[in-house]
Amino acid sequence: MDSVRTLIVGAGVTGLATAAALSDRGDDDYLILEADREIGGWCKTVKKDGFVWDYSGHFFHFKHPEIERWLVDRMPGQKIRVVKKKSFIAYKGRFIDFPFQKNIHQLPQDEFIDCLHDVYFARSSDVKADEKRAALPATNFKEMLSARFGRSICEKFLFPYNEKLYACDLATLDVDAMGRFFPYADLTDIVRNMKAPDNASYNATFTYPEGGAIEYVRAIASAVRPGAVAFEEALVAVDLERKVARTTRASRAGGSREIRFDRLVSSVPFNRFVALCGVGSDDEPSTWAWNKVLVYNFGFDRKGQRDVHWAYYPARETAFYRVGWYDNIFDADRLSIYVEVGFPKDAPIDARATRERVLDDLKREGVVSTQKLVAEHSVVLDPAYVHVTARSVAEHKRIAALLKERSVWSLGRYGRWTYCAIEDNIVEARELVESW
């Protein structure tokens, strides 16, 4: 039987960052299992006919300058663009500045009055924002939105957009389903923004390498011991008591390869990892919900809209919920976009049929006019966004504690079953290694 001090499952950002942190402290006794043929997870880049696309828009916005420097130092010769975000909501033929709730004054007058009236009576203006949040009677995400912003803002944007994004009933999500990433605003913020615009958010400035997001992944991988990744080898089962993992690779003695470990770090979606470990209760599948996202990357022969990096599309008749403009990041002369369409986790996806509807909607929304499509790519992200519910939070906490007792950790967006930024995965991996 093979043995290793640290077994890492998944060669995406989280797994590679864990291995890099181990190497940084002189511990190279680790192995990374990766079911795919290459590193990156969902953070892969496609290059086709002169276009550079990711599996979806992966833009880095750093809170930790030391992490950014560490990455950039490992990307010699790679030009990195620093971009001040320009994002909007497409609403009835016009662009409204993001976030919608702080820019209702840009709506037609009657709709602005409706929104301002409803948000005023939804929440008292003389209570501090943190006190408001604590006092909310909401028990789920949909109730929170209504209590905080009122009917009009919710019906015009917050409900339809998030229903398209998550492809579910928002009442099933936890009040804090998006954590620090939701753009909260109180009445004072909304009124102040009418005279002194301040639409800053956690990703107001982002960076992007000219070689695509995969360059950041390769930078992390450059700090990993050569030969440490076992490609096309997936985890099949984990025996927690024996601390033995079984994989899809055949062993020298016949049968599946078994690897004894002292500790294990996984970035596999938590529901799948729990099943591989044989922990959890019989009714647990209902606890873990998520959605799929069909991503189209389209390249056209001529430039389209300028001064926009991505836009949100709440209209229910429009197939997609978001479009991003790579050409405006690269200052390129050909329109290059990604388009995202959400689906429930069990929904069948007909990429060809949806493609025709998406292309029609792109024209109707004014993203495309007379440009000719010259290159394309599509991919289904499954899972895409996990659904953070009160039950998933409680079960994850319970099972994670059980796993930790056996020196097993589940990290990353899918491993922690949460909503987070890419940098958060690097921070989390480093903190874990430092704790050992």
Side-chain angles (χ1 to χ4, degrees):
M1 184 184 298
D2 297 326
S3 63
V4 66
R5 176 177 294 174
T6 306
L7 183 63
I8 301 168
V9 185
V13 169
T14 302
L16 293 172
T18 303
L22 285 167
S23 287
D24 188 53
R25 67 183 221 171
D27 183 355
D28 284 335
D29 189 6
Y30 56 79
L31 175 69
I32 306 172
L33 300 178
E34 174 50 58
D36 203 352
R37 297 180 180 182
E38 55 186 316
I39 62 174
W42 288 151
C43 203
K44 290 185 175 69
T45 298
V46 177
K47 298 181 180 180
K48 188 173 183 180
D49 297 327
F51 295 97
V52 177
W53 301 313
D54 295 332
Y55 270 25
S56 188
H58 289 301
F59 308 119
F60 280 66
H61 30 85
F62 294 97
K63 295 194 305 176
H64 300 81
E66 71 280 6
I67 291 180
E68 183 174 15
R69 286 194 301 270
W70 184 86
L71 289 167
V72 171
D73 287 346
R74 286 162 176 76
M75 301 167 67
Q78 183 67 220
K79 185 175 180 180
I80 301 172
R81 291 183 172 265
V82 179
V83 183
K84 290 185 178 180
K85 181 189 71 171
K86 297 177 181 178
S87 61
F88 305 92
I89 297 99
Y91 186 78
K92 295 185 178 181
R94 66 172 73 183
F95 270 172
I96 305 297
D97 285 336
F98 180 87
F100 186 90
Q101 51 270 29
K102 287 179 70 174
N103 292 287
I104 55 175
H105 59 284
Q106 297 176 15
L107 296 171
Q109 186 181 49
D110 58 337
E111 296 193 56
F112 165 54
I113 292 171
D114 286 343
C115 289
L116 188 61
H117 172 277
D118 290 354
V119 73
Y120 178 84
F121 286 103
R123 303 182 58 80
S124 172
S125 62
D126 60 353
V127 182
K128 293 181 180 178
D130 56 345
E131 293 174 347
K132 291 179 183 179
R133 190 170 185 180
L136 281 176
T139 60
N140 60 61
F141 190 61
K142 189 171 186 177
E143 288 182 358
M144 180 276 291
L145 295 177
S146 293
R148 186 174 285 272
F149 298 107
R151 178 182 59 83
S152 292
I153 290 176
C154 288
E155 291 183 354
K156 294 179 190 303
F157 177 70
L158 292 176
F159 286 172
Y161 173 75
N162 284 291
E163 286 169 0
K164 290 171 71 175
L165 171 70
Y166 286 107
C168 74
D169 179 355
L170 301 182
T172 64
L173 301 180
D174 185 66
V175 171
D176 203 31
M178 292 182 66
R180 66 181 173 89
F181 300 94
F182 185 85
Y184 290 101
D186 60 20
L187 189 60
T188 301
D189 297 326
I190 293 169
V191 174
R192 182 184 294 117
N193 216 49
M194 297 176 191
K195 292 278 286 184
D198 179 10
N199 297 314
S201 61
Y202 72 93
N203 58 354
T205 300
F206 64 90
T207 63
Y208 192 73
E210 290 202 335
I214 192 63
E215 297 300 334
Y216 275 127
V217 180
R218 289 172 178 161
I220 301 171
S222 70
V224 173
R225 173 176 57 81
V229 183
F231 291 105
E232 297 185 272
E233 184 170 4
L235 184 68
V236 172
V238 179
D239 186 328
L240 294 174
E241 297 303 321
R242 295 171 57 219
K243 287 194 173 182
V244 171
R246 185 159 50 89
T247 80
T248 53
R249 181 169 295 182
S251 69
R252 292 183 292 272
S256 297
R257 173 154 84 139
E258 291 190 329
I259 305 170
R260 181 178 289 111
F261 59 85
D262 291 336
R263 54 199 177 208
L264 185 151
V265 178
S266 170
S267 58
V268 172
F270 193 71
N271 61 319
R272 300 177 191 172
F273 184 62
V274 165
L276 295 178
C277 293
V279 296
S281 56
D282 292 338
D283 65 342
E284 214 157 307
S286 63
T287 303
W288 315 111
W290 65 93
N291 72 311
K292 298 183 285 193
V293 169
L294 172 58
V295 180
Y296 293 100
N297 290 309
F298 292 132
F300 297 86
D301 63 341
R302 290 183 295 105
K303 188 77 173 176
Q305 292 164 281
R306 300 176 184 271
D307 297 321
V308 55
H309 297 123
W310 61 83
Y312 305 93
Y313 292 82
R316 298 185 190 278
E317 64 270 20
T318 300
F320 44 83
Y321 62 84
R322 180 166 54 194
V323 174
W325 281 255
Y326 286 112
D327 56 301
N328 289 333
I329 293 173
F330 289 131
D331 294 325
D333 58 4
R334 295 190 299 172
L335 175 60
S336 177
I337 57 175
Y338 65 89
V339 185
E340 298 173 322
V341 186
F343 291 87
K345 66 182 179 69
D346 296 321
I349 295 180
D350 184 339
R352 178 173 296 182
T354 304
R355 172 186 180 276
E356 298 310 311
R357 182 184 172 193
V358 164
L359 288 172
D360 287 343
D361 287 350
L362 286 172
K363 288 185 177 180
R364 181 172 52 78
E365 291 282 1
V367 178
V368 176
S369 55
T370 59
Q371 291 92 342
K372 179 182 177 182
L373 182 64
V374 295
E376 60 184 286
H377 163 267
S378 66
V379 63
V380 175
L381 307 183
D382 181 14
Y385 293 96
V386 302
H387 294 174
V388 179
T389 67
R391 185 171 178 180
S392 73
V393 171
E395 276 299 281
H396 188 281
K397 182 178 180 180
R398 181 183 70 82
I399 298 173
L402 181 153
L403 294 174
K404 183 178 179 181
E405 291 175 356
R406 292 158 175 78
S407 300
V408 175
W409 290 267
S410 186
L411 305 185
R413 169 176 286 199
Y414 301 112
R416 285 197 296 123
W417 208 260
T418 191
Y419 192 108
C420 67
I422 299 173
E423 184 192 34
D424 294 338
N425 300 328
I426 300 173
V427 172
E428 183 184 26
R430 289 183 170 189
E431 289 178 347
L432 175 62
V433 171
E434 289 173 3
S435 72
W436 290 339

